[in-house]
C-alpha cells in the first residue's frame, strides 16, 4: 500500500536477508522461514519522529512515525500535577544538605497533564523479540493510518481512530507478508520508569487485567527477566494513580500478556501464538483503547474490565456506594472538600446506632466489674467454675462481653471502603479546599493529621479501658501517634474525612455519656 513511499533500491553491498528467528512462546520455538530470494530487501528509512494527533475533547494522543505508536498522551482538561512539599520533608532535606532555599508548600507546574515520558510508547508492534517498532509512514489521514514494510517482507498497517466516546479510541493492527513468515507477533506498551510506584504519588507503571485479576508492575526498575501470565487478557497498558491508557484486545484469548525489559523501557506486552503468515492471508487485530480518568462508572460502561484499574480492593462494592453519595453531594455543593465533609456527617449519622450500642455495652461491663473481680477472686483456683460463674453473671445482668467489639467489626467495611474510595478517586486531583490546593496530595502543613491525633487522645481519655490487659492498654495509648504518622502521608482529602470523623466521634461520645442512665448498683 505504501511501498511507493519507501526507497525501492536495496543497498548494493547488502546480501539478501537470511533466515529470521523468532522468540519462543509458551516454551515452543517456531521454525525459521527464509524469505523468497526473488523478493528484494527494502532498506528501512530512519525514523524522523513525525507526530499526528488523534484527539477528543478530553484527551490528545500523538501517534509517531517511530513505531507507529502513541508517543505522548495529554489531558487538556487537567493542569500538570502540582509539586507539594510538606514542611517535614523540607526540614529533612535541609538537615541532609540536599535542599536549598525557603519552604514553598505548593509549586504549580506548567502545561497540561502528560501521561508518558519522552521514551514512552503505547501500541508498538513487531515480530520476534521486542524492539522499537521500526519506521512507519502515514498513508491516510481519516482515519489516521500508518504502515511499515520490513526487509523480510512483513507489512504492518495501523489505524488509529476516535469514537463517539471522548476517552475511547479504536486501534486496528494488520500483519501481512509477501513471503511466508512465522510469528510470534506482539503488541506492547512501555516507558522508562525511574522509581517504584507508590499509593500516594502520580507515578506511572505497567498494568494488565489477566484472567480477571489486576496485575501491576509497581517496581519496573527491578524487572530483569520477562514474566508471563496465564489466562485471557482483558486489557494491558500504562497507568498511574488516577489515569490509565490501556489496550483491550477484541479476542482476549489471542495472546499471552506479561512484563518484559525492552532496551531503555520496561513494557507490558501481548504476544500472540507462533502463527505463520502466508501471502494473501493477513492477521488482523482489533483493540479498544481507553485513555482517561479512573472513573469507575465510566470505565464500567466501556467494559473489558477497565473498572478494575480503580483498584478499590475487597471492599469495592461499599466503595462504589460511598462514591455515589460523594458525587451526589458534589452535584449540589460544587466543591469536593465540602462534599467530603457532608459524606462524613452522613456516615457518622448512619453508624450512630451502632456506636451508641457499643457505648452502652461498655458501660454495662464497667458497672459489673466489681462483681467480676469477686468471682475471679473466689474461684481463682478453679478456672472451670470461674468461667461458669462469669457467664452466669453476664446472663443475669444481660451483658454481652462482645457488645463493644461487634459494632466495631461492623464498621470495618465502611472504614476500608472509605479509605479506598478517597485514595483512588480522580475527582480529588487538583481539587482545592480552604488552604489545601490539591486534595489528592498530603496536607503540607500537617494540620489535619495533627487535629486527628489530638482528637484520638481526647477520645481515649473519654473511653474507659475497664478490664483491659496493661500491655493492650499501652498499645492503645500509642495508637494516636501511629495513626498520625500514617496520616501525614495520605491525601489531604482522606485526612479531612478522618479529622472531622474524630471530632464527631468525640461529640457523639459526650452526648452518649450525658444521656446515659446508669442501672442501679448490683447487689
Amino acid at each position: 500500500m505504501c511501498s511507493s513511499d519507501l526507497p525501492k533500491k536495496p543497498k548494493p553491498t547488502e546480501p539478501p536477508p537470511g533466515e529470521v528467528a523468532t522468540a519462543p512462546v509458551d516454551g515452543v520455538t517456531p521454525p525459521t522461514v527464509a524469505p523468497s530470494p526473488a523478493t528484494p530487501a527494502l532498506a528501512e528509512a530512519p525514523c524522523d519522529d513525525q507526530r499526528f494527533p488523534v484527539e477528543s475533547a478530553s484527551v490528545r494522543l500523538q501517534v509517531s512515525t517511530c513505531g507507529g505508536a502513541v508517543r505522548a498522551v495529554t489531558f487538556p482538561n487537567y493542569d500538570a500535577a502540582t509539586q507539594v512539599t510538606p514542611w517535614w520533608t523540607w526540614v529533612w532535606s535541609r538537615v541532609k544538605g540536599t535542599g536549598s532555599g525557603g519552604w514553598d508548600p505548593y509549586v504549580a507546574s506548567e502545561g497540561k497533564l502528560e501521561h508518558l515520558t519522552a521514551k514512552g510508547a503505547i501500541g508498538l508492534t513487531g515480530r520476534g523479540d521486542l524492539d522499537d517498532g521500526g519506521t512507519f509512514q502515514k498513508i491516510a489521514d481519516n482515519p489516521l493510518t500508518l504502515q511499515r514494510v520490513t526487509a523480510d517482507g512483513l507489512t504492518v498497517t495501523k489505524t488509529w481512530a476516535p469514537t463517539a466516546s471522548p476517552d475511547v479510541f479504536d486501534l486496528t493492527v494488520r500483519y501481512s507478508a509477501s513471503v511466508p513468515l512465522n510469528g510470534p507477533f506482539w503488541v506492547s506498551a512501555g516507558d522508562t520508569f525511574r522509581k517504584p510506584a507508590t499509593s500516594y504519588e502520580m507515578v506511572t507503571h505497567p498494568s494488565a487485567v489477566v484472567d480477571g485479576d489486576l496485575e501491576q508492575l509497581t517496581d519496573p526498575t527491578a524487572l530483569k527477566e520477562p514474566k508471563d501470565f496465564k489466562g485471557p487478557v482483558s486489557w494491558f497498558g500504562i497507568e498511574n494513580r488516577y489515569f490509565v491508557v490501556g489496550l483491550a484486545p477484541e479476542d482476549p484469548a489471542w495472546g499471552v500478556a506479561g512484563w518484559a525489559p525492552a532496551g531503555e523501557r520496561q513494557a507490558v506486552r501481548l504476544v500472540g501464538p507462533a502463527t505463520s503468515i502466508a501471502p494473501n492471508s493477513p492477521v488482523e487485530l482489533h483493540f479498544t483503547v481507553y485513555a482517561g480518568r479512573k472513573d469507575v462508572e465510566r470505565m464500567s460502561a466501556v467494559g473489558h474490565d477497565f473498572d478494575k484499574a480503580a483498584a478499590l480492593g475487597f471492599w469495592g462494592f461499599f466503595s462504589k456506594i460511598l462514591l455515589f453519595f460523594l458525587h451526589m453531594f458534589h452535584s449540589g455543593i460544587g466543591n469536593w472538600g465540602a462534599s467530603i465533609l457532608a459524606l462524613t456527617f452522613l456516615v457518622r449519622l448512619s453508624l450512630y446506632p451502632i456506636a451508641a450500642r457499643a457505648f452502652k455495652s461498655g458501660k454495662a461491663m464497667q458497672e459489673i466489674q466489681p462483681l467480676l473481680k469477686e468471682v475471679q477472686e473466689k474461684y481463682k483456683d478453679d478456672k472451670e467454675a470461674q468461667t461458669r460463674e462469669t457467664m452466669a453473671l453476664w446472663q443475669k445482668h444481660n451483658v454481652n462481653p462482645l457488645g463493644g467489639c461487634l459494632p466495631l467489626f461492623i464498621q470495618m467495611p465502611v472504614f476500608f471502603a472509605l479509605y479506598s474510595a478517597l485514595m483512588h478517586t480522580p475527582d480529588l486531583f487538583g481539587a482545592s479546599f480552604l488552604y489545601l490546593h490539591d486534595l489528592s496530595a498530603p496536607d503540607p502543613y500537617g494540620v489535619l493529621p495533627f487535629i486527628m491525633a489530638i482528637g484520638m487522645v481526647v477520645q481515649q481519655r473519654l473511653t474507659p479501658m475497664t478490664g483491659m490487659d496493661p500491655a493492650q492498654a499501652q498499645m492503645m495509648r500509642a495508637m494516636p501517634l501511629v495513626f498520625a504518622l500514617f496520616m501525614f502521608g495520605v491525601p489531604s482529602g482522606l485526612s479531612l474525612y478522618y479529622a472531622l470523623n474524630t471530632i464527631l466521634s468525640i461529640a457523639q461520645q459526650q452526648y452518649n455519656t450525658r444521656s446515659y442512665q446508669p442501672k442501679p448498683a448490683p447487689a
Side-chain angles (χ1 to χ4, degrees), residues 173-217:
V173 180
R174 188 174 188 270
Y175 298 96
S176 59
S178 58
V179 294
L181 292 175
N182 285 338
F185 303 94
W186 52 264
V187 182
S188 76
D191 204 342
T192 299
F193 306 95
R194 295 182 175 84
K195 64 177 182 177
T198 68
S199 300
Y200 312 125
E201 294 182 280
M202 288 280 287
V203 179
T204 56
H205 56 276
S207 296
V209 171
V210 183
D211 200 20
D213 296 326
L214 177 64
E215 306 289 349
Q216 297 177 306
L217 184 61

Side-chain angles (χ1 to χ4, degrees), residues 405-479:
C405 299
L406 287 178
L408 295 178
F409 285 116
I410 295 175
Q411 295 180 63
M412 291 304 288
V414 179
F415 175 86
F416 288 114
L418 270 168
Y419 176 83
S420 297
L422 296 180
M423 273 291 296
H424 297 101
T425 175
D427 299 307
L428 302 187
F429 177 72
S432 60
F433 180 68
L434 300 178
Y435 68 94
L436 301 168
H437 293 190
D438 187 353
L439 291 175
S440 69
D443 179 356
Y445 303 95
V447 174
L448 294 176
F450 183 75
I451 291 175
M452 195 196 74
I454 297 299
M456 290 185 69
V457 172
V458 173
Q459 198 172 5
Q460 278 189 353
R461 300 291 183 183
L462 298 175
T463 304
M465 298 185 182
T466 307
M468 187 175 293
D469 181 80
Q472 188 178 3
Q474 187 175 3
M475 183 181 68
M476 291 297 293
R477 294 188 188 98
M479 288 301 291

Side-chain angles (χ1 to χ4, degrees), residues 51 58-62 70-81 110-123 169 189-194 197 201-207 216 235-247 266 268 289-294 299 306 309 426 429:
R51 299 191 177 187
S58 62
V59 63
R60 178 184 176 92
L61 308 180
Q62 291 280 1
V70 173
R71 303 304 295 264
V73 179
T74 306
F75 296 99
N77 298 332
Y78 292 89
D79 293 329
E110 296 182 358
K112 296 300 181 179
L113 183 65
E114 297 281 350
H115 193 70
L116 297 176
T117 71
K119 300 291 185 180
I122 297 176
F169 301 83
D191 204 342
T192 299
F193 306 95
R194 295 182 175 84
E201 294 182 280
M202 288 280 287
V203 179
T204 56
H205 56 276
S207 296
Q216 297 177 306
W235 64 266
F236 63 98
I238 296 177
E239 65 166 332
N240 58 29
R241 191 167 144 207
Y242 294 127
F243 296 87
V244 60
V245 179
L247 284 69
Q266 295 84 34
V268 53
V289 182
Y290 179 80
R293 307 185 323 150
K294 290 184 178 180
M299 293 189 297
F306 273 114
F429 177 72

